[in-house]
Amino acid sequence: MSPDKPVSPDPAPIAGLAAESAAWQGLLDILQDEERALIAGEADCLAQLNTAKLTQLQAVSGHARKRHAELLAAGHAADRAGMDAWLAQHGQPEQRARWQRLCALEQEVQAANQRIGSLIELRLNSTRQALNVLIHSATSQGGLYDHAGLAVAARKGTPLTAA
C-alpha cells in the first residue's frame, strides 16, 4: 500500500446495519399485527404470528451477535457505547443516521412488546373474571343446570333456552 493513499476505515461493524434494521422493522411489523389481533380478539391468528415472530427474533439476534463480534474484533465494547465509539472514530454521517434509526426501531419494538403484554394481561384478567362467575354460579345454590340437564339462568332458575 502506498503511503500517500489514505487507509479506509474498517467497515465491518456497520456493514450489516441495513440488514439488521430490516430485521428489526420486520419484527416491528409482526408485533403490530399481533397487537391488532389482540385488540380485535382474533386469537386464531396468534399462533401463526408467534411462529413468524420467533423466526424474526432469531434473525434480529443473529445480526446483533454478528455486530457485537465485529465490534469486539475492532477493539470496542459489544454494546451501544461500543458502536457509538466506533462510529465516532470511523463513521460517516449516513452510517450514524442508520445506527440511530436502528436504535429507534429497537425502542419501538420494546414499546410494542410492552403494549402486547398489557393487552394479554387484560385478556387474561377478563377470562379469569368470567371463569370466576361461572365457577360461582356452578357451585352456588341452584347451579347452572336443572335436574333435566337444561341450562338455567343463575338467579331465575328458568332454562336459558326458554328466553
Side-chain angles (χ1 to χ4, degrees):
M1 193 180 280
S2 69
D4 57 335
K5 261 190 163 180
V7 177
S8 62
D10 178 17
I14 54 92
L17 287 183
E20 188 175 352
S21 291
W24 278 104
Q25 183 62 56
L27 180 58
L28 181 60
D29 293 344
I30 293 167
L31 290 175
Q32 289 170 339
D33 289 344
E34 183 179 17
E35 185 176 8
R36 282 189 289 273
L38 285 166
I39 289 169
E42 297 172 351
D44 293 340
C45 66
L46 291 176
Q48 183 180 6
L49 286 170
N50 193 48
T51 301
K53 181 171 59 172
L54 289 174
T55 301
Q56 200 63 33
L57 277 169
Q58 289 172 345
V60 166
S61 179
H63 289 294
R65 276 194 308 273
K66 183 178 181 210
R67 178 174 39 84
H68 290 168
E70 290 168 347
L71 282 168
L72 287 172
H76 295 280
D79 57 13
R80 261 185 208 202
M83 188 66 179
D84 289 338
W86 188 92
L87 285 168
Q89 290 177 353
H90 305 287
Q92 303 297 319
E94 67 275 0
Q95 295 166 336
R96 287 187 194 99
R98 187 173 290 157
W99 171 243
Q100 289 172 350
R101 177 64 186 139
L102 189 143
C103 291
L105 278 169
E106 182 182 359
Q107 289 177 344
E108 288 179 56
V109 165
Q110 288 175 351
N113 195 47
Q114 288 288 347
R115 290 190 307 272
I116 288 168
S118 296
L119 287 168
I120 290 171
E121 186 64 31
L122 184 67
R123 293 276 181 187
L124 283 174
N125 286 336
S126 177
T127 301
R128 281 188 201 108
Q129 289 174 351
L131 285 172
N132 286 338
V133 167
L134 291 173
I135 289 170
H136 176 71
S137 294
T139 58
S140 66
Q141 204 151 34
L144 290 176
Y145 302 98
D146 65 9
H147 294 296
L150 296 174
V152 295
R155 295 186 185 214
K156 297 180 185 173
T158 58
L160 291 175
T161 55

